[in-house]
Amino acid sequence: MVHGMPNSTLEASPNAALNKTILPKYMDLPIPEGKIQAMYVWVDGTGENVRAKTRTLDFIPKDPSDLPIWNYDGSSCYQAEGGNSDMYLYPVAIFNDPFRRGNNKLVLCDTYKANGKPADVRGGHLELVDTNKRHSCLKAMEAAKDHEPWFGIEQEYTLLDMDLRPLGWPKNGFPGPQGPYYCGVGANKVYARDIVEAHYRACLYAGVNIAGSNAEVMPAQWEYQVGPCEGISIGDQLWMSRFILHRVAEEFGVVATLDPKPMPGDWNGAGAHTNFSTKAMRDENGIIEIEKAIDKLSRNHLRHIQAYDPKGGKDNERRLTGRHETSSIHDFSAGVANRGASIRIPRGCAEQKKGYLEDRRPSSNCDPYSVCEALVRTCILNE
Ligand code: ADP
Ligand code: MN
Ligand code: MN
Ligand code: MN
């Protein structure tokens, strides 16, 4: 047994079993002058998973518009039928590649059909659903630009072994009840901090505006925060941070899941609390604006629940039970420092009479473009 890694993980994961001392020999090879690798990353038809593929470039891109549009097989990503499967990747944001380093890049893309329309899905069922959520989010952000909307998202996630059991949990039983694990330290409190540390550094290197990280209430559950970011960049940054998380965990032979309730029963679920402010909320006496926004949110609860997980509310049904620091999916509520409410006003903001609000409803696997679009349309554009 490798120190600190349960046997079952090593045996089940070919990635963890590979000899990790061999790769650096190749990564250190000098490569032809002027050539770089660009890994294009995009969201697939599940609205939840990311895909990626690499191409060689003979220049260093500075702006997404420098980069070529590229094609991919939409039918293998639940976004097209086999007979008409060519789809297009439009580069929207460039990050430094923490895996290949040097001048190599990660390129976030949004997805389009051959007719130039944003991607949709026909997977499993006949109903068409937009799967390029960025396209309409960007329109809302442009319309709301003068209000300078800021977002900070708290991304919770759970580490699983290859059997999809939370990492470090006994195979035939459960860890002790929740209590000691949140922000915990020690070998019997937290599992796989290596992954958390590697992810944090990789995000900083990449240029993701990561704000912090902490161990969560359920053992093997963690959180990091991205933000504050203005406008559309919150979605771009959060999606790239998720790609980096899955990619780092892959190297360790561990699965990172964004499922909002990985373990039923008396275990906390996982959310993506979304902290939101406008310029007026951040200014003196902004609390009045925060209260106005909460009033609008109270009258649009259903619309927000539908936008806050990839299954239109079905995923959050398992999580928003009114227990385990959540509100009930059926009711809207708001309160200062209240972690059982839909919307929480942080105590510091109530005291300073300005700042931001926290929407606690978005599920960990939400699409941040959908969540932030809904907030902007309800609170700023009054739609
Ligand atoms: P919690 O107390 O709910 O665990 P965190 O510290 O995890 O809160 O996250 C708070 C988030 O709020 C951070 O990601 C931060 O970037 C974000 N944030 C701070 N100020 C603002 C603001 N004015 N507007 C939007 N987001 C903000
Ligand atoms: Mn937090
Ligand atoms: Mn949390
Ligand atoms: Mn929070």
Side-chain angles (χ1 to χ4, degrees):
M1 172 174 163
V2 170
H3 185 67
M5 184 70 78
N7 268 329
S8 63
T9 297
L10 268 184
E11 283 156 16
S13 167
N15 293 310
L18 283 177
N19 182 334
K20 299 291 180 185
T21 65
I22 300 175
L23 177 63
K25 186 170 79 178
Y26 298 96
M27 297 309 280
D28 286 349
L29 284 173
I31 55 171
E33 185 77 23
K35 298 242 191 237
I36 70 143
Q37 291 164 293
M39 186 174 244
Y40 281 38
V41 176
W42 69 98
V43 182
D44 75 10
T46 63
E48 188 172 342
N49 297 317
V50 279
R51 309 278 180 132
K53 61 175 187 165
T54 299
R55 65 188 295 163
T56 307
L57 298 175
D58 54 12
F59 63 95
I60 301 170
K62 298 273 182 268
D63 186 88
S65 63
D66 300 341
L67 284 156
I69 290 170
W70 201 10
N71 68 307
Y72 72 105
D73 172 7
S75 70
S76 298
C77 296
Y78 315 119
Q79 280 166 312
E81 282 160 351
N84 185 15
S85 66
D86 270 15
M87 309 235 333
Y88 292 91
L89 299 170
Y90 289 20
V92 296
I94 302 175
F95 297 84
N96 296 321
D97 184 338
F99 306 102
R100 295 174 169 141
R101 306 187 186 211
N103 289 321
N104 302 302
K105 301 295 177 197
L106 299 176
V107 177
L108 188 77
C109 300
D110 68 350
T111 51
Y112 288 83
K113 299 193 283 192
N115 63 8
K117 296 239 165 67
D120 48 33
V121 66
R122 211 188 277 272
H125 45 90
L126 288 173
E127 175 195 2
L128 282 175
V129 184
D130 294 336
T131 58
N132 177 344
K133 304 288 190 187
R134 189 181 193 277
H135 183 77
S136 61
C137 180
L138 182 60
K139 286 187 181 157
M141 292 300 173
E142 279 168 356
K145 195 169 69 204
D146 292 346
H147 297 263
E148 298 174 24
W150 290 7
F151 305 90
I153 298 187
E154 303 166 48
Q155 178 67 64
E156 294 179 337
Y157 63 95
T158 308
L159 297 174
L160 308 175
D161 68 22
M162 291 289 286
D163 305 334
L164 305 184
R165 177 103 177 139
L167 196 71
W169 285 35
K171 287 297 145 216
N172 301 305
F174 293 90
Q178 294 184 158
Y181 310 115
Y182 169 76
C183 296
V185 182
N188 57 348
K189 308 282 195 316
V190 296
Y191 302 119
R193 191 188 297 275
D194 287 10
I195 293 172
V196 177
E197 292 295 311
H199 172 255
Y200 200 146
R201 288 299 185 99
C203 282
L204 287 171
Y205 178 92
V208 169
N209 184 18
I210 185 167
S213 78
N214 58 270
E216 267 304 334
V217 173
M218 185 180 94
Q221 201 171 69
W222 295 86
E223 169 180 317
Y224 63 89
Q225 304 93 29
V226 172
C229 293
E230 187 162 334
I232 196 76
S233 70
I234 184 63
D236 299 345
Q237 300 241 342
L238 192 73
W239 273 115
M240 190 51 81
S241 76
R242 289 175 173 179
F243 168 78
I244 293 171
L245 175 64
H246 292 303
R247 176 69 182 72
V248 168
E250 168 194 310
E251 273 186 54
F252 284 91
V254 168
V255 176
T257 181
L258 301 189
D259 188 278
K261 193 77 177 185
M263 296 307 286
D266 223 356
W267 303 103
N268 272 31
H273 299 167
T274 301
N275 300 275
F276 166 63
S277 65
T278 60
K279 187 173 179 308
M281 295 180 191
R282 297 186 294 270
D283 284 348
E284 286 311 298
N285 265 320
I287 193 78
I288 294 168
E289 289 299 318
I290 293 174
E291 275 159 10
K292 275 192 212 160
I294 290 173
D295 181 56
K296 293 176 196 171
L297 289 167
S298 75
R299 287 182 272 119
N300 288 276
H301 182 60
L302 189 58
R303 166 208 217 165
H304 283 257
I305 288 297
Q306 284 166 351
Y308 282 5
D309 75 51
K311 300 189 188 72
K314 283 269 171 279
D315 274 336
N316 247 339
E317 262 175 30
R318 292 181 284 132
R319 163 179 169 259
L320 293 179
T321 57
R323 299 174 60 226
H324 305 112
E325 299 178 63
T326 69
S327 56
S328 159
I329 193 167
H330 305 294
D331 307 307
F332 180 89
S333 56
V336 173
N338 183 353
R339 288 171 197 270
S342 315
I343 305 287
R344 162 177 155 252
I345 301 176
R347 192 181 304 284
C349 297
E351 280 163 4
Q352 292 177 32
K353 297 194 165 31
K354 63 178 179 184
Y356 61 97
L357 61 84
E358 177 193 45
D359 192 333
R360 300 177 59 81
R361 296 170 293 175
S363 147
S364 45
N365 61 353
C366 69
D367 190 318
Y369 297 127
S370 301
V371 170
C372 296
E373 175 177 352
L375 285 167
V376 160
R377 290 198 188 277
T378 299
C379 301
I380 300 179
L381 302 179
N382 298 312
E383 288 177 4

